[in-house]
Amino acid sequence: MNKIEYNLDQTDHAILRLMQENARISNADIARELGMAPSAILERIKKLEQREVILQYRTKINPAALDQTLLSFIFIRAADGIGCATTGQALAAIPEVQEVHDIAGDDGYLVKVRTADSAALVELMRNSFAKIPSIISTRTTIVLETVKEEQQLVIPE
Amino acid sequence: MNKIEYNLDQTDHAILRLMQENARISNADIARELGMAPSAILERIKKLEQREVILQYRTKINPAALDQTLLSFIFIRAADGIGCATTGQALAAIPEVQEVHDIAGDDGYLVKVRTADSAALVELMRNSFAKIPSIISTRTTIVLETVKEEQQLVIPE
DNA sequence: ACTGAAAGCTGGCCTCG
DNA sequence: CGAGGCCAGCTTTCAGT
């Protein structure tokens, strides 16, 4: 497992800054902003996608519009061996599970789940979580209000 | 604070499903997929944006490409009065802080932070967190590996 | 690695069913 | 609410530097 060199220059950073904010910006608009030809921008974007600097383009939908207003974080203790990540993969396969993080200490996972309400959360835990045999215990934390929720990275320059 | 009715139909759901997966899909492609005219799709998308069903279009960038490989969750106990959310807002203003959730119990916040390494995390806590006087205590959990990290919602039909 | 030109296609608007 | 037509402007390719 080598460390990959990405070697992004200021132009790449500027493109990423614009696209991170608005994934549907046109190449022509980026080109105007940076004083370059649209074809040059297109070429760079394609390379950024190829080198997996850009991972995907996502539309953020209002959870309330789809009746998924309850957000919860669940700590999960699991009986995985070291380096064996089957529990994590089983959790990741559940669509209501948005995030699965392997965390330090307690041989555990931190999981982020979105459901309609607490009844749906209980049902999800009974139906999906209970079927993962390696889970030892869970501790659920309910979110009352989300103040900020972004995946925006800090881009230099 | 009224509950808003969104009243999305199957066509809206189909559009959201396609756009959630790929924010840069063209209206023409959506139209072909659904067997409709592009102008009809355009109209629906505009209404979805207007009604804030669609919140934003985001490009997901590889954190490793920008040297931000350390992900941490921090529990923060704060001395806010009930309903008074100044601590949350101060936390949200920090760019490295990706998420701030007001959580039930312990009058606390759960915060998600991305930094280059543990040294940068320590520095961030010394420089930024320490300047928020209402913070009583913090407990930091380091992420060893992220198995899944999406904001994709489950869309019916 | 960027520019500029050329071809085809798309976005956005309008009118009509 | 959606189809179809229209044109400016966009995407994409390619030769040239």
Side-chain angles (χ1 to χ4, degrees), chain B residues 33-69:
Chain B
E33 195 83 36
L34 305 189
M36 290 171 69
S39 53
I41 303 294
L42 177 68
E43 209 175 327
R44 276 175 180 268
I45 293 176
K46 285 201 158 178
K47 276 181 195 160
L48 290 169
E49 291 172 353
Q50 234 172 257
R51 290 193 287 162
E52 296 184 332
V53 173
I54 290 176
L55 297 176
Q56 56 226 159
Y57 303 107
R58 290 275 134 109
T59 297
K60 195 176 164 192
I61 297 166
N62 190 339
L66 295 170
D67 261 313
Q68 293 172 39
T69 48

Side-chain angles (χ1 to χ4, degrees), chain A residues 3 6 8 13 16 19-25 27 45 52-68 71 73 75 88-89 92-104 109-110 112 114 141-156, chain B residues 3 6 8 13 16 19-25 27 45 52-68 71 73 75 88-89 92-104 109-110 112 114 141-156:
Chain A
K3 200 187 167 189
Y6 288 97
L8 306 179
H13 287 156
L16 291 174
M19 297 193 78
Q20 181 170 243
E21 215 56 53
N22 174 19
R24 274 174 88 79
I25 189 173
N27 299 348
I45 292 176
E52 297 184 333
V53 174
I54 289 176
L55 297 176
Q56 58 228 155
Y57 302 107
R58 292 274 132 111
T59 297
K60 196 177 163 190
I61 297 165
N62 190 340
L66 295 171
D67 261 313
Q68 292 173 39
L71 183 63
F73 286 90
F75 287 86
Q89 258 137 36
I94 303 169
E96 288 86 354
V97 170
Q98 294 193 325
E99 303 188 17
V100 179
H101 305 280
D102 192 343
I103 57 176
Y109 293 93
L110 176 55
K112 182 175 169 184
R114 217 177 263 281
T141 299
I142 297 290
V143 171
L144 300 177
E145 194 194 1
T146 294
V147 183
K148 181 181 188 177
E149 190 178 28
E150 296 290 340
Q151 299 197 182
Q152 310 289 90
L153 302 179
V154 180
I155 301 177
Chain B
K3 199 186 168 186
Y6 289 97
L8 306 179
H13 287 156
L16 291 174
M19 295 193 77
Q20 181 169 243
E21 216 54 55
N22 175 19
R24 274 175 87 79
I25 189 173
N27 300 348
I45 293 176
E52 296 184 332
V53 173
I54 290 176
L55 297 176
Q56 56 226 159
Y57 303 107
R58 290 275 134 109
T59 297
K60 195 176 164 192
I61 297 166
N62 190 339
L66 295 170
D67 261 313
Q68 293 172 39
L71 183 63
F73 286 90
F75 287 88
Q89 258 137 33
I94 302 168
E96 288 86 353
V97 170
Q98 295 192 324
E99 303 187 17
V100 179
H101 305 280
D102 192 341
I103 58 175
Y109 293 93
L110 177 55
K112 182 176 170 184
R114 217 177 262 282
T141 298
I142 297 291
V143 171
L144 299 176
E145 193 192 1
T146 293
V147 183
K148 181 181 188 177
E149 190 179 27
E150 295 291 340
Q151 301 197 182
Q152 310 291 92
L153 302 179
V154 180
I155 301 177

Side-chain angles (χ1 to χ4, degrees), chain A residues 8-23 25-27 29-49 51 53-54 57 155-157, chain B residues 24 59 61 66:
Chain A
L8 306 179
D9 64 13
Q10 293 179 23
T11 306
D12 290 320
H13 287 156
I15 292 171
L16 291 174
R17 223 175 295 121
L18 290 167
M19 297 193 78
Q20 181 170 243
E21 215 56 53
N22 174 19
I25 189 173
S26 70
N27 299 348
D29 278 346
I30 299 172
R32 267 188 291 271
E33 197 81 38
L34 305 189
M36 290 170 70
S39 51
I41 302 296
L42 178 68
E43 208 174 325
R44 275 176 181 265
I45 292 176
K46 286 199 160 174
K47 276 182 196 161
L48 290 169
E49 291 171 353
R51 290 193 288 163
V53 174
I54 289 176
Y57 302 107
I155 301 177
E157 257 95 310
Chain B
R24 274 175 87 79
T59 297
I61 297 166
L66 295 170

Side-chain angles (χ1 to χ4, degrees), chain B residues 116-134:
Chain B
D117 49 36
S118 53
L121 176 63
V122 170
E123 207 184 327
L124 182 74
M125 293 184 74
R126 283 225 188 94
N127 294 340
S128 303
F129 286 49
K131 280 181 186 143
I132 304 172
S134 49

